[in-house]
Amino acid sequence: MTIERKWWKEEVIYQIYPRSFNDSNGDGIGDIQGIIEKLDYIKNLGVDIIWLSPIYASPNDDNGYDISDYYAIHPEFGTMEEFDLLLKEIHAHGLRLIMDVVFNHSSDEHEWFEKSRASKDNPYRDYYFWKPGENGGPPNNWRSFFGGSAWEYDSTTDEYFLHLFTKKQPDLNWENPKVREEIYKVVRYWLDKGIDGFRMDVIPLISKRLEFADTPLPAFNDVVEQVYSNGPRVHEFINEMYERVLKEYDIMTVGEGPGISTKTGLDYVGHDRGELNMIFHLDHMFLGHGPRGKFDPVHYDWKDIKKIFTDWYDAMGDSGWISIFLDNHDFPRLVSRFGNDEEYRIESAKLLAMLVLTLRGTACIYQGSELGMSNVKFENIEDYRDVETHNYYKEFTESGTSHAEFLKQVHAHGRDNVRTPIQWNKEKHAGFTSGEPWIRVNPNYTEINAEDVLADEDSIYYFYRDLLSFRKREKTLIYGDWKIIPMASDDLFVYERFDANYKILVILNHSDNTHALDLNVDNYSLCFTNVSSSDKNTLLPWEARLLKSMND
Ligand code: NOJ
């Protein structure tokens, strides 16, 4: 079978978290005009598709992932006219735009929920999940992704409603055909504006197991996979959305996939399924999450990461597609998590760029990775903004974890690591805003910022740019097969992408150690390296090389 060619397999995504990208009006919050100002910067990097995290009306309990009006732009970000201009400008730059849509839940300030909660017998009651309590407590033992029960008591009608995320994010009831109609209307509204696709938030969660039985599973990741995700009607619902709306448009869809495993992946993205084009599986992102989640860490290493890449490559074969990414707005900075953000920050950031851009799948780059931005270490919990961090701070410190111990986990795993403002220059607040930023800037902005990086031709930014332009020409990197070349040391990751014409060999030393390299590469020519000088048979710490040869 030959693999199907599609623009969304060839192009590269750049994720913008608008709140933290660029503030044009001095209110401390990134905005639409701010993005428009930076389109040349994005275009010059060489990416193709902008994924915009939510910019809809929202009370911002979860920074926009709690939508109160799917048809309105949050005034903090701008107006609908400004959005239309942004879309026009994005297209004028030869770029595309995909919007982030959140249909598993809405905000509790959405009018559907306000009506739903008002009485037991109103037409909106069934837009959400309402249940009486059990033995004076919630209907079952389900826990929210952000800590505490997944049920909230509402005294108006003496019942509980379901919220898998915060209590301001009630879950929508997709069983109700009217809810689905409303959602398809929203989808069509944005597609008719001319956007190029969607990132669908937590899409495997939309079909609930309606028995709402207690779960005996102790580990949260297992609960997500076996209880919250992959419910009985999930494929029927996604397929219906495809048949009713999506298939009429030349767009791309990527589903965020908590709980989707290599066993279930193709059910969502198989080319013949009529569902989604690709998913962001989260297997490598959830690595290290212990029974109580990310702030309860367990050990993992590169062997686990490599196994996940291999398993997903095998699972997809030529029949389905995934996105390749190493961070986004929910996980730590890739260089801090997978690289060495101190001694080898530049080398390891480049190595990780090479990894993301050479595996099979649509590469996705999170804003600031191209600058080598790293995690932040605030000492005061008040400096953090993320609801997840605050909820778990309360839960962990109340159950005995010390402030210092919890902060250590936040420094490593908290979502605000990736939400500090983009560091544009050395000026006050890193040039992000002329006002007070909504979250403090990472103090390292004087060493890490776009102005410096753009002035240095050896910088991480230009490494990304050159690799991106190489990738555009080399279809072997898109459609080619993949095989791992076994190495004696676990510190090395060596693999080849190949098709009938070419072989592209990638050699990565993802460690602080120097290694001898015993590999015959006589027929290859070196296209990229991230170190200035090394001898052929030695790999320096975090050295990355890309070589190419004819396949004969
Ligand atoms: C996944 C999103 O990426 C995350 O930021 C959000 O908090 C949850 N879904 C809830 O919408």
Side-chain angles (χ1 to χ4, degrees), residues 69-286:
D69 184 349
Y70 291 92
Y71 298 99
I73 303 292
H74 196 302
E76 284 174 347
F77 293 129
T79 62
M80 192 57 88
E81 289 66 42
E82 285 171 311
F83 171 80
D84 292 339
L85 178 66
L86 172 68
L87 179 59
K88 207 168 128 218
E89 285 293 315
I90 284 176
H91 285 160
H93 278 76
L95 298 164
R96 303 185 204 250
L97 175 65
I98 64 173
M99 300 283 281
D100 205 327
V101 275
V102 189
F103 292 137
N104 174 68
H105 45 271
S106 71
S107 161
D108 67 338
E109 295 183 33
H110 194 291
E111 66 163 334
W112 300 335
F113 189 77
E114 284 173 349
K115 290 179 177 157
S116 181
R117 83 181 338 161
S119 67
K120 281 188 184 167
D121 56 357
N122 72 76
Y124 288 89
R125 188 66 170 178
D126 276 357
Y127 271 47
Y128 298 87
F129 296 98
W130 291 96
K131 295 269 166 221
E134 284 278 327
N135 308 319
N140 67 19
N141 69 353
W142 291 11
R143 292 176 52 75
S144 135
F145 278 79
F146 295 147
S149 172
W151 297 92
E152 180 71 9
Y153 177 70
D154 195 44
S155 61
T156 323
T157 54
D158 190 28
E159 281 195 330
Y160 289 78
F161 65 86
L162 177 71
H163 61 89
L164 292 181
F165 295 90
T166 76
K167 60 178 190 243
K168 288 185 66 61
Q169 294 169 296
D171 282 53
L172 281 160
N173 178 7
W174 279 65
E175 301 289 327
N176 181 344
K178 284 197 232 129
V179 168
R180 305 207 297 277
E181 288 308 320
E182 294 278 13
I183 288 169
Y184 306 153
K185 230 172 83 192
V186 173
V187 170
R188 193 176 286 286
Y189 172 81
W190 289 98
L191 288 176
D192 286 344
K193 278 190 174 283
I195 66 162
D196 303 288
F198 294 108
R199 178 262 187 190
M200 297 189 180
D201 193 66
V202 293
I203 199 72
L205 268 51
I206 59 175
S207 159
K208 307 297 187 249
R209 291 181 171 78
L210 299 172
E211 318 81 63
F212 292 110
D214 272 350
T215 170
L217 300 168
F220 192 67
N221 276 358
D222 295 337
V223 177
V224 172
E225 180 172 346
Q226 296 171 44
V227 183
Y228 298 169
S229 285
N230 312 309
R233 296 183 72 189
V234 70
H235 297 295
E236 179 195 333
F237 293 157
I238 300 176
N239 176 253
E240 184 181 84
M241 173 160 52
Y242 176 80
E243 289 294 333
R244 293 285 306 281
V245 206
L246 299 173
K247 76 168 187 198
E248 294 170 34
Y249 300 82
D250 177 24
I251 53 160
M252 65 162 276
T253 51
V254 49
E256 188 205 18
I260 301 182
S261 70
T262 49
K263 289 190 206 75
T264 49
L266 273 187
D267 297 342
Y268 290 86
V269 298
H271 292 327
D272 53 354
R273 294 284 301 180
E275 294 194 23
L276 302 168
N277 295 140
M278 67 185 97
I279 45 165
F280 293 125
H281 76 75
L282 299 178
D283 282 354
H284 55 324
M285 292 291 105
F286 284 179

Side-chain angles (χ1 to χ4, degrees), residues 332-333 337 375-376 407-414 417:
R333 285 276 172 199
R337 182 173 187 183
N375 282 355
V376 71
L407 268 196
K408 216 170 101 192
Q409 300 310 331
V410 176
H411 294 165
H413 309 291
N417 280 310

Side-chain angles (χ1 to χ4, degrees), residues 9 23 64 75 78 82 96 104 138 152 172-173 187-188 215 346 365 372 382 390 394 396 415 436 491 493 510 541:
K9 294 182 178 172
D23 175 22
E82 285 171 311
R96 303 185 204 250
N104 174 68
E152 180 71 9
L172 281 160
N173 178 7
V187 170
R188 193 176 286 286
T215 170
I346 293 176
I365 300 168
E382 295 75 35
H390 284 282
K394 195 158 172 286
F396 274 69
R415 303 196 297 182
E436 270 307 303
D491 287 349
F493 194 18
H510 50 76

Side-chain angles (χ1 to χ4, degrees), residues 391-405:
N391 285 2
Y392 278 111
Y393 179 77
K394 195 158 172 286
E395 199 169 300
F396 274 69
T397 50
E398 279 173 6
S399 64
T401 308
S402 72
H403 168 87
E405 186 50 36

